[in-house]
Amino acid sequence: MGFEGANPGTVRPGGRTARVRASVLQAAGDALAEHGFAHLDLADIARRAEVGKTTVYRRWGTVTSLVADLLMDMAEQSLPRTETGSLLGDLKANARLVQRTLADPRQGALFKAVIAAATCEAKTAEALHRFYDIRITEWTPCVQQAIDRGEVPEGTDVREVIRAVSAPLYYRLLTSSDRLDEAAADQAAEAAATAACAGAYLRGGEGRA
């Protein structure tokens, strides 16, 4: 899954061009984590990546396009879902992956910066929504498999279950000083699994009294 059309930074070539892209995206992520979205500068990113400014300007054009490409690359490079044979096991694997990412000093700062920018910058918000759409889609089969096994009621909204796993972890990252550790991840997974099995995520209230 990717962005439609051939917007700047969305081509996936190989060879030297791929190496340049990787260097620029690494530099962009570092700058974003260090200084936030408001202070991103294409010339500074080119310097960090040790590539020509004209290359960066020609390929991405704007900071927003570069951040969109960074998010797409992060989504594509993220680890695939884990299948443990149980809903709780799968959701714990998902929660711990999210937890490790957000607890990482660089990645946590990067996500804070992007989320903050998305509140007032429409193209960044669109890129962030696409990132999460890809990651949620990657993990929804584990909920469908739980439905097929009879662990979870038919009619469960599989995407809402996955969202419910990561939501408490992002809350801790953005609004709380609570520890963002494996215990928090496991608690989020257990809560989502329990609610799903109880029918809390049935679409449109199906099956509820």
Side-chain angles (χ1 to χ4, degrees), residues 20 109 130 153:
V20 167
R130 288 178 183 265

Side-chain angles (χ1 to χ4, degrees), residues 93-143:
N94 175 252
R96 289 189 179 191
L97 176 59
V98 174
Q99 177 266 326
R100 289 194 300 271
T101 299
L102 300 184
D104 178 83
R106 177 185 183 274
Q107 294 298 90
L110 191 159
F111 274 105
K112 282 183 178 180
V114 172
I115 291 169
T119 62
C120 58
E121 214 293 316
K123 289 184 178 180
T124 302
E126 180 183 355
L128 187 63
H129 296 161
R130 288 178 183 265
F131 169 86
Y132 285 114
D133 183 66
I134 291 171
R135 296 309 300 154
I136 290 170
T137 299
E138 170 67 23
W139 283 86
T140 51
C142 75
V143 184

Side-chain angles (χ1 to χ4, degrees), residues 182-206:
E182 283 193 353
D186 289 350
Q187 183 181 58
E190 289 163 5
T194 299
C197 292
Y201 300 109
L202 287 171
R203 287 187 292 270
E206 296 176 26

Side-chain angles (χ1 to χ4, degrees), residues 87 151-158 160-161 164 191-208:
L87 178 65
E151 287 186 75
V152 176
E154 289 284 350
T156 293
D157 188 327
V158 296
E160 284 302 310
V161 176
T194 299
C197 292
Y201 300 109
L202 287 171
R203 287 187 292 270
E206 296 176 26
R208 295 177 186 169

Side-chain angles (χ1 to χ4, degrees), residues 23-101:
S23 296
V24 171
L25 294 184
Q26 176 69 34
D30 291 344
L32 192 59
E34 291 171 18
H35 304 301
F37 184 90
H39 298 287
L40 284 185
D41 178 76
L42 292 183
D44 175 60
I45 291 168
R47 178 188 59 78
R48 288 170 177 256
E50 299 182 344
V51 302
K53 288 189 295 185
T54 55
T55 298
V56 175
Y57 280 100
R58 182 174 63 249
R59 178 158 184 182
W60 287 278
T62 66
V63 164
T64 301
S65 292
L66 180 54
V67 170
D69 195 25
L70 173 63
L71 286 168
M72 182 58 62
D73 184 68
M74 289 168 59
E76 292 172 348
Q77 298 302 321
S78 293
L79 293 174
R81 71 179 179 277
T82 299
E83 295 186 9
T84 67
S86 75
L87 178 65
L88 179 57
D90 292 351
L91 295 187
K92 279 188 175 181
N94 175 252
R96 289 189 179 191
L97 176 59
V98 174
Q99 177 266 326
R100 289 194 300 271
T101 299

